[in-house]
Amino acid sequence: MDLTLLTAAQQPTAEVLPALGLLTHSVTVLPLDAGALIDRPLGHAVLLDARRDLAGARSFSRVLAAIGVTAPIIGVLTEGGLIAMSAQWHVDDIILDTAGPAELDARLRLAIERCAAAAQPTAEQVDIGELTIDE
């Protein structure tokens, strides 16, 4: 699974989400800068580092939504940062920076599957032989 980690941390994987270093996922680390995202594939999921700068991360989640990121966005928070979470954050899921590898992997898989299912067009008309059901 290809992941993108958006962070300003010096030791990105070890500092932001230590469990990520224990998994076999391919991780691309990018700065929290919209310019770094231009013409760059973001992979299957985006991890947004919101541990230190909650307001900045919330604003950047809005930028990601505005530029039309289709991959699920997962906010990485400290336990104290949970108080700031609201619908104004454009994230598909959240995870604590202390989460273990099993929880992280499960949350990534679920977010990717939910995003893929939501992107599937819904059938407005079902044809079964000569019978047509129009919702």
Side-chain angles (χ1 to χ4, degrees), residues 2 5 10-11 18 33 36 41 55 57 70 80 89 97 116-117 121 123-124 126 135:
D2 294 326
L5 173 60
Q10 299 298 323
Q11 301 286 326
D33 177 16
T70 57
W89 287 72
D97 61 344
E124 293 180 15
V126 177
E135 294 179 14

Side-chain angles (χ1 to χ4, degrees), residues 58-135:
R58 184 183 67 205
S59 295
F60 201 75
S61 73
R62 291 177 181 166
V63 169
L64 293 172
I67 64 174
V69 171
T70 57
I73 301 167
I74 301 168
V76 180
L77 299 147
T78 61
E79 191 170 349
L82 290 174
I83 193 74
M85 288 306 302
S86 70
Q88 294 176 352
W89 287 72
H90 293 278
V91 294
D92 298 290
D93 199 358
I94 58 170
I95 191 160
L96 293 178
D97 61 344
T98 56
E103 179 183 356
L104 174 59
D105 195 57
R107 285 184 179 274
L108 287 169
R109 280 185 287 108
L110 288 170
I112 291 167
E113 289 172 9
R114 276 194 308 264
C115 192
Q120 294 290 333
T122 57
E124 293 180 15
Q125 182 174 319
V126 177
D127 295 315
I128 306 169
E130 291 187 25
L131 175 66
T132 300
I133 302 171
D134 187 357
E135 294 179 14

Side-chain angles (χ1 to χ4, degrees), residues 2-68:
D2 294 326
L3 306 173
T4 300
L5 173 60
L6 302 173
T7 184
Q10 299 298 323
Q11 301 286 326
T13 303
E15 185 181 333
V16 177
L17 203 52
L20 193 56
L22 300 173
L23 299 173
T24 60
H25 304 309
S26 172
V27 181
T28 302
V29 179
L30 297 174
L32 287 168
D33 177 16
L37 304 177
I38 296 174
D39 296 329
R40 181 166 286 207
L42 295 179
H44 297 104
V46 175
L47 297 165
L48 176 61
D49 183 5
R51 296 167 309 122
R52 305 277 186 263
D53 181 11
L54 291 168
R58 184 183 67 205
S59 295
F60 201 75
S61 73
R62 291 177 181 166
V63 169
L64 293 172
I67 64 174

